[in-house]
Amino acid sequence: MNPTATNSAPALPFGRRPRTTVAVIATLVLALELAAALATLDGDPFAPVSGWGATRPTDTLALALVVVGCSALYWCRTRPLTALSAATASYAVFMLLGHELGLFLAPMTALYAAAVLGISRIGSLTAGLTAYAASLYWVFERTATVADPGAALLAWVAFSTVIGVFFAGPYVAGELVRLRRLLTAGPGPSPAQHAATT
Protein backbone atom coordinates (compact mmCIF):
# COMPACT_ATOMS: atom_id res chain seq x y z
CA MET A 1 0.00 0.00 0.00
CA ASN A 2 1.26 3.44 -0.83
CA PRO A 3 2.32 5.14 2.45
CA THR A 4 0.90 8.45 1.30
CA ALA A 5 -2.51 6.99 0.49
CA THR A 6 -4.07 8.01 3.74
CA ASN A 7 -2.65 11.49 3.66
CA SER A 8 -3.46 12.62 0.12
CA ALA A 9 -6.70 13.26 -1.72
CA PRO A 10 -8.13 14.32 -5.05
CA ALA A 11 -8.90 17.94 -5.68
CA LEU A 12 -12.47 17.50 -6.93
CA PRO A 13 -14.34 18.15 -3.64
CA PHE A 14 -12.94 21.69 -3.55
CA GLY A 15 -14.34 22.81 -6.87
CA ARG A 16 -12.75 23.84 -10.14
CA ARG A 17 -10.01 25.90 -8.50
CA PRO A 18 -9.16 23.93 -5.37
CA ARG A 19 -5.94 25.77 -4.56
CA THR A 20 -7.68 29.12 -4.64
CA THR A 21 -10.64 27.84 -2.63
CA VAL A 22 -8.44 26.37 0.09
CA ALA A 23 -6.24 29.47 0.21
CA VAL A 24 -9.24 31.76 0.63
CA ILE A 25 -10.74 29.59 3.38
CA ALA A 26 -7.43 29.30 5.24
CA THR A 27 -6.78 33.04 5.00
CA LEU A 28 -10.29 33.85 6.22
CA VAL A 29 -9.98 31.50 9.19
CA LEU A 30 -6.57 32.95 10.07
CA ALA A 31 -7.90 36.50 9.90
CA LEU A 32 -10.93 35.70 12.08
CA GLU A 33 -8.93 33.83 14.72
CA LEU A 34 -6.22 36.49 14.89
CA ALA A 35 -8.85 39.19 15.24
CA ALA A 36 -10.55 37.24 18.03
CA ALA A 37 -7.27 36.68 19.86
CA LEU A 38 -6.23 40.32 19.56
CA ALA A 39 -9.67 41.48 20.73
CA THR A 40 -9.07 39.81 24.09
CA LEU A 41 -6.16 42.16 24.75
CA ASP A 42 -8.51 45.06 25.49
CA GLY A 43 -11.75 43.26 26.32
CA ASP A 44 -13.01 42.07 29.70
CA PRO A 45 -12.20 38.45 30.60
CA PHE A 46 -14.90 35.94 29.74
CA ALA A 47 -16.76 35.02 32.97
CA PRO A 48 -20.25 33.53 32.47
CA VAL A 49 -20.70 32.72 36.19
CA SER A 50 -19.40 34.08 39.47
CA GLY A 51 -16.08 32.53 40.47
CA TRP A 52 -15.10 31.61 36.91
CA GLY A 53 -11.39 30.82 36.77
CA ALA A 54 -9.07 33.37 35.21
CA THR A 55 -7.60 32.72 31.78
CA ARG A 56 -4.06 33.29 30.62
CA PRO A 57 -3.60 36.64 28.86
CA THR A 58 -3.05 36.58 25.12
CA ASP A 59 0.69 36.60 24.51
CA THR A 60 3.18 35.89 21.74
CA LEU A 61 2.81 32.13 22.23
CA ALA A 62 -0.96 32.34 21.87
CA LEU A 63 -0.64 34.30 18.63
CA ALA A 64 1.97 31.85 17.34
CA LEU A 65 -0.37 28.93 18.03
CA VAL A 66 -3.15 30.71 16.16
CA VAL A 67 -0.89 31.30 13.16
CA VAL A 68 0.41 27.72 13.10
CA GLY A 69 -3.01 26.12 13.59
CA CYS A 70 -4.72 28.22 10.94
CA SER A 71 -1.83 28.15 8.46
CA ALA A 72 -1.99 24.35 8.49
CA LEU A 73 -5.29 24.67 6.64
CA TYR A 74 -3.41 25.68 3.49
CA TRP A 75 -2.51 21.98 3.19
CA CYS A 76 -5.91 20.51 4.08
CA ARG A 77 -6.45 19.47 0.44
CA THR A 78 -3.05 17.94 -0.35
CA ARG A 79 -2.04 16.75 3.14
CA PRO A 80 -5.30 16.53 5.08
CA LEU A 81 -3.99 14.40 7.96
CA THR A 82 -0.95 16.61 8.42
CA ALA A 83 -3.16 19.71 8.40
CA LEU A 84 -5.63 18.12 10.81
CA SER A 85 -2.85 17.05 13.19
CA ALA A 86 -1.23 20.50 13.20
CA ALA A 87 -4.53 22.34 13.66
CA THR A 88 -5.62 20.00 16.45
CA ALA A 89 -2.26 20.11 18.23
CA SER A 90 -2.21 23.92 18.12
CA TYR A 91 -5.75 24.09 19.49
CA ALA A 92 -5.03 21.55 22.24
CA VAL A 93 -1.92 23.41 23.43
CA PHE A 94 -3.81 26.70 23.24
CA MET A 95 -6.55 25.34 25.51
CA LEU A 96 -4.29 23.44 27.90
CA LEU A 97 -2.29 26.62 28.51
CA GLY A 98 -5.53 28.28 29.62
CA HIS A 99 -5.89 31.02 27.04
CA GLU A 100 -9.24 32.67 26.41
CA LEU A 101 -11.70 30.37 24.67
CA GLY A 102 -10.91 30.38 20.96
CA LEU A 103 -9.10 28.86 17.98
CA PHE A 104 -12.04 26.55 17.25
CA LEU A 105 -12.18 27.27 13.54
CA ALA A 106 -8.86 25.63 12.63
CA PRO A 107 -9.64 22.08 13.84
CA MET A 108 -13.29 22.44 12.81
CA THR A 109 -12.30 23.29 9.24
CA ALA A 110 -9.66 20.56 9.12
CA LEU A 111 -12.16 17.97 10.38
CA TYR A 112 -14.63 19.02 7.69
CA ALA A 113 -11.96 18.76 4.98
CA ALA A 114 -10.85 15.32 6.17
CA ALA A 115 -14.44 14.08 6.11
CA VAL A 116 -15.17 15.52 2.65
CA LEU A 117 -12.05 13.82 1.30
CA GLY A 118 -12.83 10.52 3.04
CA ILE A 119 -9.49 10.47 4.80
CA SER A 120 -8.72 8.14 7.76
CA ARG A 121 -11.75 8.03 10.03
CA ILE A 122 -9.51 6.81 12.85
CA GLY A 123 -7.25 9.84 12.44
CA SER A 124 -10.23 12.17 12.36
CA LEU A 125 -11.78 10.53 15.42
CA THR A 126 -8.49 10.79 17.30
CA ALA A 127 -8.15 14.47 16.39
CA GLY A 128 -11.74 15.23 17.35
CA LEU A 129 -11.46 13.47 20.70
CA THR A 130 -8.13 15.17 21.42
CA ALA A 131 -9.62 18.59 20.78
CA TYR A 132 -12.69 17.73 22.85
CA ALA A 133 -10.61 16.42 25.78
CA ALA A 134 -8.47 19.59 25.79
CA SER A 135 -11.68 21.64 25.80
CA LEU A 136 -13.10 19.72 28.76
CA TYR A 137 -9.88 20.26 30.68
CA TRP A 138 -10.21 23.98 29.96
CA VAL A 139 -13.77 23.92 31.33
CA PHE A 140 -12.61 22.00 34.41
CA GLU A 141 -9.94 24.60 35.13
CA ARG A 142 -12.45 27.45 34.80
CA THR A 143 -15.19 25.83 36.93
CA ALA A 144 -12.90 24.54 39.70
CA THR A 145 -13.22 27.86 41.54
CA VAL A 146 -16.98 28.28 41.07
CA ALA A 147 -18.54 28.08 44.56
CA ASP A 148 -22.11 27.40 43.45
CA PRO A 149 -22.34 23.69 42.47
CA GLY A 150 -25.47 24.35 40.43
CA ALA A 151 -23.76 27.02 38.38
CA ALA A 152 -20.70 24.82 37.93
CA LEU A 153 -22.85 21.90 36.74
CA LEU A 154 -24.74 24.14 34.33
CA ALA A 155 -21.46 25.42 32.91
CA TRP A 156 -20.21 21.86 32.46
CA VAL A 157 -23.35 20.74 30.66
CA ALA A 158 -23.55 23.85 28.46
CA PHE A 159 -19.89 23.97 27.45
CA SER A 160 -19.44 20.22 26.94
CA THR A 161 -22.53 20.10 24.72
CA VAL A 162 -21.70 23.16 22.62
CA ILE A 163 -18.05 22.20 22.18
CA GLY A 164 -19.05 18.65 21.28
CA VAL A 165 -21.31 20.01 18.55
CA PHE A 166 -18.49 22.30 17.38
CA PHE A 167 -16.27 19.31 16.60
CA ALA A 168 -18.80 16.63 15.66
CA GLY A 169 -20.88 18.95 13.48
CA PRO A 170 -18.25 19.80 10.83
CA TYR A 171 -17.18 16.17 10.53
CA VAL A 172 -20.76 14.92 10.11
CA ALA A 173 -21.44 17.70 7.59
CA GLY A 174 -18.32 16.72 5.65
CA GLU A 175 -19.36 13.06 5.60
CA LEU A 176 -22.79 14.01 4.28
CA VAL A 177 -21.24 16.13 1.52
CA ARG A 178 -18.89 13.29 0.58
CA LEU A 179 -21.67 10.69 0.52
CA ARG A 180 -23.87 12.96 -1.58
CA ARG A 181 -21.08 13.39 -4.10
CA LEU A 182 -20.50 9.64 -4.21
CA LEU A 183 -24.19 8.97 -4.82
CA THR A 184 -24.31 11.64 -7.52
CA ALA A 185 -21.12 10.59 -9.30
CA GLY A 186 -21.60 6.83 -9.01
CA PRO A 187 -18.81 4.29 -8.41
CA GLY A 188 -15.28 5.53 -8.82
CA PRO A 189 -11.86 5.50 -7.15
CA SER A 190 -11.69 6.39 -3.48
CA PRO A 191 -9.38 9.23 -2.37
CA ALA A 192 -6.86 6.63 -1.18
CA GLN A 193 -7.00 4.77 -4.49
CA HIS A 194 -6.66 8.05 -6.39
CA ALA A 195 -3.61 9.02 -4.32
CA ALA A 196 -2.01 5.63 -4.89
CA THR A 197 -2.08 6.16 -8.65
CA THR A 198 -0.89 9.80 -8.74
Side-chain angles (χ1 to χ4, degrees):
M1 181 176 177
N2 190 314
T4 63
T6 59
N7 200 33
S8 301
L12 293 178
F14 292 93
R16 296 180 180 179
R17 296 182 177 179
R19 291 181 182 177
T20 302
T21 301
V22 170
V24 169
I25 292 172
T27 301
L28 180 60
V29 170
L30 176 59
L32 289 173
E33 290 292 0
L34 276 177
L38 292 172
T40 64
L41 293 173
D42 298 323
D44 294 329
F46 178 69
V49 296
S50 178
W52 189 256
T55 53
R56 177 174 173 166
T58 298
D59 52 17
T60 304
L61 177 57
L63 296 177
L65 289 170
V66 170
V67 171
V68 171
C70 296
S71 296
L73 298 179
Y74 286 98
W75 290 272
C76 70
R77 178 183 68 93
T78 55
R79 295 291 175 186
L81 275 185
T82 300
L84 178 58
S85 298
T88 302
S90 297
Y91 172 80
V93 173
F94 186 89
M95 297 301 281
L96 293 175
L97 289 176
H99 290 291
E100 195 69 76
L101 193 64
L103 195 51
F104 286 111
L105 291 178
M108 288 170 64
T109 305
L111 280 168
Y112 175 82
V116 167
L117 294 169
I119 300 300
S120 181
R121 287 186 175 88
I122 293 177
S124 297
L125 178 62
T126 300
L129 290 177
T130 299
Y132 189 58
S135 303
L136 293 184
Y137 177 80
W138 185 91
V139 176
F140 170 76
E141 287 286 295
R142 307 287 82 74
T143 57
T145 54
V146 176
D148 184 350
L153 177 61
L154 180 61
W156 262 107
V157 172
F159 277 91
S160 61
T161 301
V162 171
I163 292 172
V165 171
F166 275 4
F167 294 122
Y171 186 80
V172 172
E175 281 286 348
L176 292 174
V177 170
R178 183 180 69 85
L179 292 175
R180 181 179 179 278
R181 285 199 172 104
L182 288 176
L183 291 173
T184 302
S190 67
Q193 291 170 333
H194 176 90
T197 59
T198 56

